[in-house]
């Protein structure tokens, strides 16, 4: 790996901790970000020559803090300051005690606070994600704009507005108590999963720009888990993302069309990700405290463990969905459960299960996709066609529409053949 | 003389590599591995999963904690490779080993990549 690639990875890895600590010092997001930028520029100048510091995060925090304080001084008086680069030569002596102080709870709370401010409830979800990608992950505005299919200046404005909103709202800088910490962690976990889904659900031409968000969310999830090693729900979250992401190489055909799980080439599933996901579930189960992420991960694990679609333990998946329904009741979960029921007990039972959902899910693409597929299995073709027509009208992406179109085309072909006969 | 070479690096940095960067490192390493294996100098080698997948058994109190072994008083003195079906079986084996050899802790960490390597002269099974 080249020096520059190493520095880039080191800066990316240190960013949440460094910006989080600078935010705690300056209590202002813009100053913290600017200080971090300054520190990165100096890192790019001095690390290739002097070699990387032992603790890049501590280095960046120290240099960033000094740069920001200098900046304030420069603005307040016009007097010349001693040369920065000379002052930095004794930095190594300062680094060790600072690094020691950084250990422990402070820096955990710094990273959590930094991620938590992006989850402000006043911000719409897309803005939360954009802000987190900018502040925590350090993606450029341009990269984020491309992922969200908007212009760069529009995204710049959105991020600026979101930051202003956060500034007005005020953030608690005191060390959070256990209850507040748990609440922050839950909000941050939800945001990380949103980022993951932005990447995971992307299809068609937008995949190239958005797919990397899934890997970034996994990186953030692992970071959270390193800070909160004993949280089964965070283990569940990371396991869920790994198990879903493991299927990515098999989820699209050469033309970018969706390949359903039953039709995927399971040899393409990423075994290393599956193994890590299963290991995390194993760890989490020991806590005997289930949560929504862990249950969803357990469902994904049953798919991952099945060598063929026919070998899937649908009975167990049905039971897990039932637990999930109790924990977080939602018609979408019931809809997913119905798919498992259709495999275990047949399409009739599944149709019965989803019928009461129709009113609440009348605007949901998947509802009509599932309904159409169940009706098709029962050879109720006219009703199936009606359901697929509604699904197409509600499709969010071209790939979703194309997938339903296949069913419709087949139905039309069947109907035409029947007329001929 | 047999030596173990223990690999240390900043995990958060390694986890921030892109897939391409990770692949590039692994393929550069495999050039070295292949040559050493041809020379019958390289035995089994492994890459461990992230420390977030680790569990630690503190032997004296039979205390199971999530995460890697983080104390600095003890040193790494050896390791086992075991083929187990789940973490519970791994902990059972670790407890049994702990009965035979008390003190310290065992960290159980899943293996991400296992390369069996070549048969090294003088290491045949007795």
């Amino acid at each position: 790996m080249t020096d520059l690639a190493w520095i880039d990875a080191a800066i990316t890895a240190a960013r949440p901790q460094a910006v989080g600590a600078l935010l705690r010092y300056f209590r202002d997001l813009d100053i913290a970000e600017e200080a971090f930028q300054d520190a990165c520029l100096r890192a790019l100048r001095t690390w290739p020559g002097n070699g990387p510091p032992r603790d890049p995060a501590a280095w960046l925090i120290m240099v960033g803090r000094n740069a920001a304080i200098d900046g304030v001084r420069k603005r307040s008086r016009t007097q010349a300051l001693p040369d920065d680069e000379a002052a930095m030569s004794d930095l190594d002596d300062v680094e060790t005690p600072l690094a020691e102080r950084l250990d422990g709870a402070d820096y955990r709370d710094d990273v959590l606070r930094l991620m938590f401010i992006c989850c402000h409830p006043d911000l719409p979800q897309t803005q939360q994600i954009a802000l987190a990608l900018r502040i925590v992950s350090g993606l450029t505005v341009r990269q984020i704009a491309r992922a969200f299919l908007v212009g760069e200046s529009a995204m710049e404005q959105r991020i600026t507005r979101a930051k202003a909103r956060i500034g007005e709202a005020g953030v608690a800088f005191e060390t959070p108590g256990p209850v507040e910490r748990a609440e922050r962690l839950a909000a941050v976990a939800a945001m990380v999963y949103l980022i993951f889904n932005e990447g995971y659900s992307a299809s068609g031409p937008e995949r190239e720009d958005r797919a990397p968000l899934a890997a970034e969310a996994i990186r953030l999830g692992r970071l959270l888990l390193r800070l909160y090693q004993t949280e089964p729900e965070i283990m569940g979250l990371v396991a869920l993302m790994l198990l879903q992401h493991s299927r990515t190489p098999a989820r699209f055909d050469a033309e970018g069309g969706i390949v359903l799980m039953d039709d995927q080439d399971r040899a393409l599933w990423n075994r290393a990700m599956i193994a890590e996901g299963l290991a995390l579930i194993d760890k989490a189960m020991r806590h005997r405290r289930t949560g929504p992420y862990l249950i969803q991960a357990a469902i994904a694990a049953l798919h991952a463990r099945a060598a063929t679609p026919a070998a899937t333990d649908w009975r167990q998946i049905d039971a897990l969905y039932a637990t999930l329904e109790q924990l977080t009741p939602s018609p979408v979960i019931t809809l997913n459960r119905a798919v498992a029921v259709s495999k275990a007990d047949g399409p009739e039972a599944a149709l019965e299960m989803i019928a009461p959902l129709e009113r609440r899910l009348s605007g949901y693409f998947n509802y009509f996709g599932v309904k159409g597929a169940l009706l098709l299995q029962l050879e109720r073709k006219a009703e199936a066609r009606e359901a697929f027509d509604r699904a197409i009208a509600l499709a969010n992406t071209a790939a979703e529409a194309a997938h339903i179109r296949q069913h419709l085309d087949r139905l039309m072909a069947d109907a035409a053949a029947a007329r001929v006969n | 003389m047999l030596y173990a070479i223990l690999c240390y690096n900043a995990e958060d940095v390694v986890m921030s590599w892109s897939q391409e960067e990770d692949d590039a490192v692994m393929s550069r390493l495999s050039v070295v591995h292949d040559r050493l294996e041809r020379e019958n100098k390289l035995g089994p080698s492994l890459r461990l999963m992230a420390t977030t997948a680790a569990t630690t058994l503190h032997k004296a109190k039979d205390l199971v904690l999530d995460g890697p072994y983080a104390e600095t008083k003890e040193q790494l003195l050896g390791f086992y490779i075991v083929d187990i079906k789940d973490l519970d079986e791994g902990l059972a084996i670790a407890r049994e080993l702990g009965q035979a050899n008390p003190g310290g802790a065992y960290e159980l960490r899943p293996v991400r990549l296992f390369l069996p390597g070549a048969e090294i002269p003088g290491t045949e099974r007795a």
Side-chain angles (χ1 to χ4, degrees):
Chain A
M1 202 177 290
T2 62
D3 267 358
L4 275 181
W6 188 90
I7 291 173
D8 191 41
I11 286 177
T12 305
R15 184 181 172 102
Q17 186 188 342
V19 179
L22 291 166
L23 179 66
R24 176 159 47 86
Y25 294 138
F26 296 112
R27 306 202 166 194
D28 180 294
L29 197 52
D30 285 326
I31 296 179
E33 279 199 290
E34 213 172 295
F36 181 74
Q37 288 307 335
D38 271 354
C40 291
L41 289 175
R42 292 182 200 211
L44 285 170
R45 278 208 303 274
T46 58
W47 290 3
N50 301 352
R54 208 171 45 254
D55 185 341
W59 193 99
L60 291 165
I61 293 166
M62 181 57 101
V63 172
R65 197 170 63 160
N66 290 346
I69 292 169
D70 283 354
V72 172
R73 280 196 203 129
K74 266 184 198 149
R75 277 194 284 273
S76 58
R77 3 177 186 129
T78 41
Q79 148 195 350
L81 283 155
D83 184 43
D84 291 347
E85 307 288 336
M88 277 177 32
S89 59
D90 32 81
L91 203 72
D92 260 347
D93 307 331
V94 191
E95 194 189 307
T96 315
L98 180 72
E100 274 160 18
R101 264 183 289 138
L102 279 171
D103 272 353
D106 253 5
Y107 116 75
R108 278 187 3 164
D109 287 330
D110 285 346
V111 175
L112 187 60
R113 181 186 302 111
L114 185 70
M115 293 171 94
F116 179 68
I117 59 171
C118 304
C119 314
H120 196 281
D122 283 355
L123 297 176
Q125 284 184 349
T126 50
Q127 279 189 27
Q128 295 184 10
I129 299 172
L131 202 58
L133 290 173
R134 178 70 207 103
I135 296 175
V136 186
S137 303
L139 264 59
T140 62
V141 172
R142 183 173 182 183
Q143 286 171 311
I144 302 167
R146 287 179 60 164
F148 285 93
L149 308 172
V150 297
E152 213 172 315
S153 59
M155 185 48 80
E156 181 87 62
Q157 270 182 15
R158 266 190 223 176
I159 291 175
T160 309
R161 270 205 301 271
K163 277 189 194 165
R165 203 73 159 278
I166 287 171
E168 286 159 23
V171 183
F173 282 94
E174 303 78 51
T175 304
V179 174
E180 196 181 359
R181 191 176 283 133
E183 283 168 4
R184 289 185 178 190
L185 197 53
V188 167
M191 183 196 62
V192 169
Y193 194 49
L194 281 176
I195 296 176
F196 176 79
N197 274 313
E198 281 300 321
Y200 185 73
S201 64
S203 61
E206 72 212 40
R207 261 193 82 217
E208 196 189 329
D209 288 325
R210 276 167 69 170
L213 298 187
E216 175 60 19
I218 290 174
R219 193 180 73 87
L220 294 176
R222 283 204 184 107
L223 168 71
L224 267 187
L225 187 52
R226 255 203 316 279
L227 299 178
Y228 297 92
Q229 302 255 357
T230 58
E231 289 295 332
E233 266 297 83
I234 305 298
M235 295 173 202
L237 170 68
V238 178
L240 173 61
M241 294 192 292
L242 284 165
L243 290 168
Q244 288 187 306
H245 199 43
S246 74
R247 301 199 288 260
T248 296
R251 288 177 60 226
F252 299 94
D253 60 25
E255 283 79 47
I258 296 174
V259 181
L260 289 186
M261 206 191 309
D262 275 4
D263 305 321
Q264 287 173 14
D265 177 358
R266 294 182 181 221
L268 296 176
W269 290 0
N270 185 316
R271 290 290 137 193
M273 286 185 197
I274 291 175
E276 189 179 345
L278 296 180
L280 287 174
I281 292 174
D282 223 9
K283 274 181 71 165
M285 289 299 187
R286 297 192 58 262
H287 289 263
R288 315 220 176 285
R289 190 151 50 92
T290 42
Y293 292 119
L294 185 53
I295 296 174
Q296 292 176 77
I299 293 170
L302 288 170
H303 290 301
R305 283 177 199 268
T308 63
T312 311
D313 187 348
W314 291 107
R315 211 42 87 191
Q316 185 63 29
I317 290 178
D318 176 23
L320 286 166
Y321 271 123
T323 315
L324 193 57
E325 256 181 331
Q326 281 178 344
L327 224 52
T328 54
S330 133
V332 174
I333 293 171
T334 310
L335 181 67
N336 285 320
R337 186 180 170 196
V339 175
V341 167
S342 80
K343 305 278 188 177
D345 301 320
E348 206 116 27
L351 263 182
E352 209 170 293
M353 188 172 229
I354 68 165
L357 309 176
E358 181 142 347
R359 199 173 44 82
R360 275 182 298 167
L361 294 182
S362 61
Y364 189 52
F365 162 80
N366 275 338
Y367 176 81
F368 293 100
V370 169
K371 185 181 176 186
L374 292 172
L375 288 165
L376 195 58
Q377 285 178 53
L378 292 168
E379 297 279 318
R380 287 156 65 175
K381 290 184 183 170
E383 290 164 273
R385 221 180 120 171
E386 202 180 310
F388 286 139
D389 278 338
R390 289 191 69 175
I392 280 223
L394 294 166
N396 301 301
T397 64
E400 281 180 358
H403 177 69
I404 297 294
R405 175 75 52 203
Q406 285 177 359
H407 283 303
L408 278 174
D409 288 348
R410 217 169 301 147
L411 277 172
M412 302 273 269
D414 286 354
R419 269 198 301 278
V420 172
N421 294 337
Chain B
M1 184 80 183
L2 284 181
Y3 267 79
I5 298 177
L6 307 173
C7 318
Y8 290 92
N9 207 341
E11 184 175 32
D12 50 357
V13 178
V14 173
M15 288 297 161
S16 296
W17 290 349
S18 66
Q19 188 62 53
E20 292 73 32
E21 282 165 343
D22 197 284
D23 292 346
V25 171
M26 294 313 282
S27 78
R28 278 202 305 276
L29 282 174
S30 75
V31 175
V32 185
H33 294 166
D34 289 350
R35 183 180 54 83
L36 293 172
E37 207 177 317
R38 277 196 306 276
E39 294 168 359
N40 289 338
K41 283 183 186 294
L42 184 68
S45 52
L46 25 127
R47 180 174 181 185
L48 301 175
M49 278 190 202
T51 54
T52 45
T55 306
T56 301
L57 172 74
H58 293 262
K59 289 193 237 172
K61 293 183 196 145
D62 190 39
L63 192 62
V64 179
L65 294 178
D66 292 308
Y69 186 68
E71 307 298 322
T72 47
K73 196 160 61 76
E74 289 86 357
Q75 275 73 43
L76 177 69
L77 300 183
F79 66 89
Y80 300 93
I81 298 295
V82 290
D83 183 16
I84 50 177
K85 71 172 192 308
D86 59 18
L87 182 59
D88 280 340
E89 190 186 354
L91 285 169
I93 291 175
R95 287 196 176 97
E96 206 182 331
L97 292 168
Q99 299 275 314
N101 177 16
Y106 289 123
E107 177 184 327
L108 291 88
R109 180 110 66 97
V111 170
R112 175 175 165 167
L113 176 71
F114 179 84
L115 303 170
E119 183 141 338
I120 297 178
T123 64
E124 293 80 12
R125 216 170 260 273

